[in-house]
Amino acid sequence: MEKTNPTLQELLDQLKQKTIEVSLGGGQVRIDSEHEKGKLTARERVNYLIDKDSRFLEIGTFAADGLYEEEGGCPSAGVVTGLGYVSGRMCVIVANDATVKAGAWFPMTAKKNLRAQEIAMENHLPIIYLVDSAGVYLPMQNEIFPDKEHFGRQFRNNAKMSAMGIVQVAAIMGSCVAGGAYLPIMSDEALIVDKTGSIFLAGSFLVKAAIGENVDNETLGGATTHCEISGVTDNKFDSDQDCLDAIRRIFSTLGENPKAGFDRIEKKESGISGDRMLEIFPAERVKPYDMLEVIAGLVDGGELDEYKKDYGKTLICGTARIEGWAVGIIANQRKIVKTAKGEMQMGGVIYSDSADKAARFIMNCNQRKIPLVFLQDVSGFMVGSKAEHGGIIKDGAKMVNAMANSVVPKFTIILGNSYGAGNYAMCGKSYDPRLIFSWPTAQMAVMSGASAAKTLLQIKVASLKKTGKVISPEEESQLLEEITTKYNEELSPYYAAARLWVDGVIDPQDTRKAISMGIEAANHAEITERFNVGVIQT
């Protein structure tokens, strides 16, 4: 019988296996084909470009996971993106994967590229484009071409970043066709690899069809044409490696910009080992645990200076350090807690006092210029007459208002549950976290699987009764199982990652790295706004 509750180690093994599969892109045959052309693959280019022994934080590893199956799949949405270091400078890297449909743009490819540009713009980071794409995937052009967040938005972002003073460097390392040709040429510098790189608004076949001219692609838009005749590209190089070396030299000359000024001291190891943290955290979402123990595994020395520790106990607020960076942590406490009045409060639920505490803590962190880290394992806000009479809506709104208007950068990690308005209050994707990652144990939806399945079943049964059909208990049980299975699939962190609702699914032991690199990125963007919560009831 299939296990319904996998262990945390099994979930980590699944994550590792899925990562290996995605990293192969279009498969070994396509990888070999790129090598035969003298080209590196997208991931090989990134690995060659970044500083030796430096860290790379990939964004959107599982984008498009399980999507476009009828089209043969699109691993990682056909593009590799992330934060890395080139000549000691942190930057955003975007590399088209030509092993996946010749690097063609699917709808999720556009969304992922726009996410990479968003990260560069929010954090004022230089960006490198390693271009190797056949352009829009024509069978799905209606889902990628004309709308605000479609293909053309990236060129708008090119222009905006240029005006913001964000350095953009592009390397044409393969095909660069039609509208896609504007991306590298709207960058500050455009490099091209001889014989393999090409750039034109229309390829030779389309030129023949449109104006009757016979011309080959190399003559039409190869490196020699654009470096010696048109002047479209700046310099040509004999190989991928030579071109990437040139990018490294460009980055070695970049000047510094004003920083945000977040505080950092020498880092310490976390308070408990990664293995111990995995023992503490239950894979089953119904089991309680002490979030303070998990926090000890994430922060330097396990040291957390709690704010109002004896008030609003279902939310933990406090300051700590992660790899030396000062952070303000807001985390859902998952164990049942007792109030000063002797009342018991359920873990993972946000009560009025907790929301009030969090709102005030967020204000303090903004005043002190401390980045915020949200650790989500939330079932939602407390419901019922007592909660309503106590003003849960008012206090919840106060927390959301403070969080939404925060001017210090926010980072969100979804450890477990992320349900309903709890997702919003704890800085879900709608509230612009600089980075948002899930653990393999995460579940994101309007409500839990069990609650949703029963509600959906009631709706379905009522609908059938209106048509005069009465179903048997056996049929009702089968229907519940079908609904539960479908809903549970949508709860999966990979379902969220495939749609870029989160930036990726990570091993819990990589959480410190993700947050630290995120704050380092955010520190490149000077804070020019003042914190103002607007209308808020006290």
Side-chain angles (χ1 to χ4, degrees), residues 278-304:
L278 296 183
E279 292 175 7
I280 292 167
F281 191 83
E284 295 181 47
R285 299 301 347 111
V286 296
K287 288 189 176 180
Y289 62 92
D290 190 347
M291 179 64 84
L292 285 169
E293 292 186 309
V294 174
I295 291 173
L298 297 177
V299 302
D300 292 7
E303 299 167 0
L304 176 72

Side-chain angles (χ1 to χ4, degrees), residues 13 33 49 77 96 117 123 156 173 183 191 198 200 203 217 221 226 249 260 273 306 362 399 420 431 446 497 502 510:
D13 291 342
S33 176
L49 177 63
N96 298 117
Q117 289 183 320
N123 299 295
R156 174 264 188 193
M173 313 185 83
L183 184 144
L191 317 180
S198 60
F200 32 66
N217 282 338
H226 285 312
R249 291 194 297 273
S273 70
E306 273 198 76
I362 290 168
M399 177 180 174
Y431 292 85
V446 171
V502 295
D510 289 331

Side-chain angles (χ1 to χ4, degrees), residues 172-190:
I172 301 157
M173 313 185 83
S175 296
C176 190
V177 184
Y182 286 104
L183 184 144
I185 307 310
M186 291 185 74
S187 298
D188 298 296
E189 301 198 41

Side-chain angles (χ1 to χ4, degrees), residues 379-398:
S379 302
F381 285 90
M382 189 58 189
V383 297
S385 61
K386 185 174 181 180
E388 298 292 358
H389 296 170
I392 185 65
I393 296 176
K394 176 191 69 176
D395 289 319
K398 188 190 306 181

Side-chain angles (χ1 to χ4, degrees), residues 97-157:
D97 188 348
T99 71
V100 180
K101 300 290 185 181
W105 284 60
F106 283 70
M108 285 305 303
T109 314
K111 187 172 183 178
K112 185 171 176 179
N113 271 32
L114 292 174
R115 175 61 178 144
Q117 289 183 320
E118 179 183 46
I119 290 171
M121 293 169 80
E122 285 183 330
N123 299 295
H124 213 283
L125 288 174
I127 185 168
I128 298 169
Y129 306 101
L130 306 180
V131 187
D132 193 347
S133 172
V136 169
Y137 184 66
L138 288 178
M140 304 186 79
Q141 65 85 27
N142 64 315
E143 298 180 46
I144 190 175
F145 171 63
D147 209 349
K148 182 178 178 180
E149 300 297 332
H150 282 177
F151 186 74
R153 185 76 171 183
Q154 66 175 336
F155 313 133
R156 174 264 188 193
N157 287 349

